[in-house]
Amino acid sequence: MPSLRLTRRNIDEIPFAESGQVFYRDTMLSGFGLRVGTKSKVYFAEGQVNRRTRRVTIGRADVFAPDVARKRALAMLGEMADGHDPNAEKRKEQVERITLEMAFQRFFEARSTLSPHTVNGYQRTERLYLKAWRKKALSDITKQMVLTKHRDIAKAHGETTANNAMRHLRSVYNFIAATQDEFPPNPVQILSQARAWYKERRRQTVVTAVDIPAWWKAVMCPVP
């Protein structure tokens, strides 16, 4: 990995990489460097957090002056020396910004083959039964909230509807959690742990004596 003093002139003279990326280390501040790609040059800070190397992006060289980027790198390196992982904190912030409404939207975008009936069911859950949570961060939904909401939906709309709403929430939550390292466990699990799912009776259609002749004819007669 080449080293040089990262000044505006030196940075401008560095050619873009023909392919991949080339890393340049600053000779003035250990842990400060420049990542050069085929179309961009980006400052970074690299340090140790609990004996693990962490590289944090600072910003583009065409936006920040070298001295400004170096000061930011110094601050980041100090945080890393104290045991703070800037990348983990960024991921945590991203997790906290994912609202229930955003989660359902991402789910629909990724599941483009869902039938209109299924999509309608999920949308009804989001916009009607979980309306109060639409702007809430998905990661802020707790087990107790799920238990309470499950009971409330059952009282207002029926036990089967309550179960379906929580199944929808569980699916969407699992989808988002699969793409986020810092996501907490799915709170809908509490319904299984507490045996709180409502028992659902299977629908049974009874053919009356009056309807038997018509049913038999429909079943046994070949279609012309």
Side-chain angles (χ1 to χ4, degrees):
M1 187 178 294
S3 299
L4 76 165
R5 181 175 177 178
L6 293 177
T7 63
R8 172 54 63 194
R9 179 177 179 179
N10 287 341
I11 292 172
D12 289 342
E13 291 179 351
I14 294 175
F16 288 108
E18 294 183 2
S19 62
Q21 297 177 333
V22 180
F23 293 85
Y24 294 82
R25 294 192 179 279
D26 183 39
T27 56
M28 290 184 63
L29 176 63
S30 178
F32 176 52
L34 184 74
R35 184 178 71 246
V36 179
T38 58
K39 295 182 179 180
S40 64
K41 301 175 183 179
V42 180
Y43 299 113
F44 68 86
E46 185 177 273
Q48 294 284 318
V49 180
N50 299 323
R51 298 182 179 180
R52 293 185 177 183
T53 301
R54 292 291 183 266
R55 183 179 294 154
V56 185
T57 297
I58 298 173
R60 292 175 46 149
D62 58 349
V63 176
F64 294 100
D67 290 342
V68 173
R70 190 176 286 106
K71 289 180 181 179
R72 294 197 176 191
L74 184 60
M76 290 180 177
L77 292 169
E79 292 179 2
M80 285 188 267
D82 290 336
H84 300 290
D85 187 344
N87 286 334
E89 292 175 3
K90 285 183 180 179
R91 289 194 296 269
K92 184 178 180 180
E93 290 177 358
Q94 292 174 349
V95 165
E96 292 173 348
R97 286 198 294 266
I98 301 176
T99 65
L100 180 82
E101 183 180 22
M102 292 168 57
F104 269 80
Q105 185 59 43
R106 293 185 185 182
F107 180 82
F108 292 141
E109 291 173 355
R111 301 287 192 273
S112 58
T113 58
L114 291 175
S115 69
H117 175 75
T118 300
V119 172
N120 182 66
Y122 274 78
Q123 289 178 336
R124 187 173 179 82
T125 289
E126 176 208 351
R127 297 173 183 176
L128 178 59
Y129 309 127
L130 303 181
K131 180 180 179 180
W133 293 356
R134 293 187 74 194
K135 301 302 180 182
K136 181 178 291 295
L138 195 65
S139 58
D140 287 344
I141 298 175
T142 65
K143 293 180 179 180
Q144 187 56 50
M145 290 169 63
V146 167
L147 284 171
T148 301
K149 180 66 70 174
H150 187 230
R151 287 195 296 265
D152 290 346
I153 296 174
K155 290 179 181 179
H157 306 282
E159 295 179 351
T160 299
T161 298
N163 281 351
N164 286 336
M166 289 303 125
R167 290 189 187 105
H168 295 162
L169 175 60
R170 180 178 60 189
S171 295
V172 172
Y173 196 103
N174 284 340
F175 167 75
I176 296 297
T179 65
Q180 303 289 332
D181 294 334
E182 305 297 325
F183 237 75
N186 196 322
V188 182
Q189 292 176 355
I190 189 60
L191 296 180
S192 297
Q193 295 166 354
R195 297 183 178 180
W197 292 103
Y198 295 111
K199 292 183 179 179
E200 300 177 29
R201 296 180 180 179
R202 293 183 178 181
R203 294 181 178 179
Q204 295 182 345
T205 301
V206 178
V207 180
T208 64
V210 176
D211 295 327
I212 286 179
W215 173 83
W216 180 262
K217 181 178 180 181
V219 172
M220 299 304 296
C221 293
V223 178

